[in-house]
Amino acid sequence: MPSVMINRNKNGQLTFYIAKKDQEEIVLSLEHDGPERWGGEVSLTDGSSYYLDPLPAPPKLPITLRARRSGE
């Protein structure tokens, strides 16, 4: 499970940075993005998807979390 950093770019889009790969992608969709739950499956612009354990509320960004490839 790689550590990833989630942040917002200057356009307000969520970004997903994988340090181990030195790869940054824009988040296309986030399974849970509400006031009571945040996380779940994340789809990225390169076609890959990852899973973040859901948090009880949206986090203050930037945040570093552990993620796993969807389906693992």
Side-chain angles (χ1 to χ4, degrees):
M1 277 197 285
S3 288
V4 300
M5 185 175 73
I6 311 287
N7 203 358
R8 289 207 183 269
N9 64 17
K10 63 183 176 184
N11 297 325
Q13 300 167 304
L14 280 178
T15 59
F16 192 93
Y17 178 72
I18 306 165
K20 192 173 185 178
K21 294 182 176 182
D22 193 27
Q23 173 186 2
E24 184 174 52
E25 298 291 336
I26 293 174
V27 174
L28 291 177
S29 66
L30 182 61
E31 183 178 6
H32 305 288
D33 192 14
E36 296 179 8
R37 195 166 187 191
W38 189 92
E41 189 163 344
V42 180
S43 297
L44 306 177
T45 51
D46 71 348
S48 63
S49 60
Y50 287 83
Y51 184 81
L52 302 170
D53 289 329
L55 301 174
K60 182 176 177 175
L61 300 176
I63 187 170
T64 300
L65 301 167
R66 302 286 285 172
R68 63 182 176 270
R69 281 216 178 255
S70 287
E72 288 184 0

